[in-house]
Structure formats: structure tokens, C-alpha cells
Amino acid sequence: MIVIDGNAAEYNVNAFSNLEELLVKVMEDKLEDRVVTDVLVDEAQFQEEFPNQAGQVETSSIERVEIKSVPVNEFALGIVAELDKVVALMENSSHHIAGMFRNGQEAEALVLFTELLNVLHDFMGMLAVLRDEYVHEKEELFEKTVEEVSAQFESMGESTGKEDWASLATILDGDFATAVSRWKGVVAVMREKLENVCEE
């Protein structure tokens, strides 16, 4: 039996040779403009631990597959809600890491600094995707904030290259934290756009 968002589907689990084949077919036929949030195989949560794992799960021993999904726009709105938390995390982290550099904990601070930059990179990438999808006019605040953060990247890169930890701490605590906090405004604009789309 296959259940999609609480409704029994006309497909039979055993008509497919493996779980991946089943999921691809269901997504193509039934889940256009929706995002799969959960897959339950015989009541147990299924999550791939490695790429294409679903292709190795044979359906012969499976009795029931339940698939839960949400509309793409609703899913995107959920992501935007989480982005607010990421901005707060980055802002707090920049102050914390600055303090570590000032306290002579360079090695530990550098590890956290690298993680902070990775989080910021992923955050900006996610925001760019959402902006391209939902904001169809040029958003001045977004462009300005990207420029501001990019300028801080350059300054921090110079300080890191010189191993000038005091200077890096000053940037993290000051201009970088300020630039990161401006993302709150960008996220607010994005949330408003998405809320309008979801209401349509």
C-alpha cells in the first residue's frame, strides 16, 4: 500500500523493484510543486545515509510506504523562518569568535571562524535561490548587503593572511557583525514576498 499525504494511492508497492523507482514515479505523477518532507517505510522513518540508498531497498519485503509533502511555497516559507535564526547565530558567533582571538585562543577560534564562513556561504546561497524564485525585481537591500559582507570578507582575508588576530577580532566584532545583522532586513523582505505568494 502507498499513502500520499494521508490518501491511499492507486499504486501497488510491489509494482516497483525498489524504493527509489517508487519515489520517482510518485513525485512525477502526484507531487508536482510539492516537496517531500517524510518517507515512512512500514511505519519507520526512511532517510538516505548515502546517495542512491533508496535504489538498493527492494520493495518485495515492504508492505506500506507513506509519503508526506508540503507545497513548495510553504516549504520555502519555513526555510525563511529558519534563516532568521541563522542570522542571530552568525551575529552571536562573530562576537564569540572575536573574544576567543583576543584571549589568545587562535587555533580554536580559527576552526570556529572557518565554520562561520561556511554557514554564511550556505546562507547566502540559499537566500540567492529564494530571491531568484520569488523576488522578480531587483532588490536593492539584498545587493547592498552582499556588497557590504563581501567587503568584510576581503578585510578579514587580509588580516588572516597576516595572522593579525587583533585586527580580525575587531572586524568580526564590529563591521562584520553589523553587516551580518543587516540580513535581518533582507529576510524580512523575503518573508513578506513568500507570505503574499502563499496567500494567492
Side-chain angles (χ1 to χ4, degrees):
M1 182 181 194
I2 299 174
V3 178
I4 304 168
D5 292 325
N7 300 310
E10 66 270 20
Y11 310 113
N12 188 308
V13 173
N14 305 123
F16 304 93
S17 58
N18 60 58
L19 185 58
E20 183 175 24
E21 195 179 294
L22 181 158
L23 292 172
V24 168
K25 178 66 174 169
V26 168
M27 286 190 278
E28 284 176 355
D29 290 359
K30 303 287 184 184
L31 299 176
E32 188 179 352
D33 295 327
R34 296 183 73 83
V35 175
V36 172
T37 55
D38 288 294
V39 175
L40 302 172
V41 176
D42 290 332
E43 309 296 334
Q45 183 90 28
F46 176 78
Q47 286 184 318
E48 285 194 320
E49 294 173 6
F50 53 86
N52 304 317
Q53 183 182 0
Q56 296 178 21
V57 179
E58 295 182 5
T59 56
S60 53
S61 59
I62 297 174
E63 291 183 13
R64 175 187 168 99
V65 173
E66 184 173 356
I67 299 163
K68 298 177 183 179
S69 71
V70 295
V72 170
N73 295 340
E74 196 177 301
F75 185 75
L77 191 56
I79 290 173
V80 170
E82 291 302 310
L83 292 181
D84 259 338
K85 297 175 189 172
V86 176
V87 172
L89 173 73
M90 290 190 296
E91 199 175 351
N92 292 336
S93 294
S94 61
H95 294 304
H96 176 67
I97 295 165
M100 291 178 75
F101 277 121
R102 289 193 182 102
N103 291 333
Q105 300 169 276
E106 289 91 355
E108 300 95 323
L110 276 170
V111 171
L112 293 178
F113 176 61
T114 303
E115 287 177 8
L116 173 62
L117 294 183
N118 289 337
V119 169
L120 180 61
H121 178 268
D122 292 345
F123 170 86
M124 289 173 70
M126 179 64 70
L127 210 53
V129 168
L130 290 168
R131 184 192 62 160
D132 289 347
E133 187 68 31
Y134 295 101
V135 183
H136 303 297
E137 68 274 10
K138 188 171 180 180
E139 178 52 61
E140 192 178 322
L141 181 59
F142 183 92
E143 305 295 337
K144 187 179 175 188
T145 309
V146 168
E147 284 174 22
E148 215 174 322
V149 171
S150 299
Q152 301 314 315
F153 269 144
E154 201 173 315
S155 300
M156 291 190 300
E158 288 172 12
S159 297
T160 305
K162 296 174 188 172
E163 297 189 5
D164 185 349
W165 308 129
S167 171
L168 181 55
T170 300
I171 297 166
L172 277 166
D173 229 0
D175 291 342
F176 180 74
T178 301
V180 164
S181 73
R182 293 198 206 288
W183 284 115
K184 292 173 190 169
V186 177
V187 171
V189 169
M190 192 65 63
R191 184 187 301 107
E192 185 183 342
K193 299 279 185 189
L194 272 162
E195 284 172 350
N196 290 340
V197 168
C198 290
E199 285 170 7
E200 289 173 2

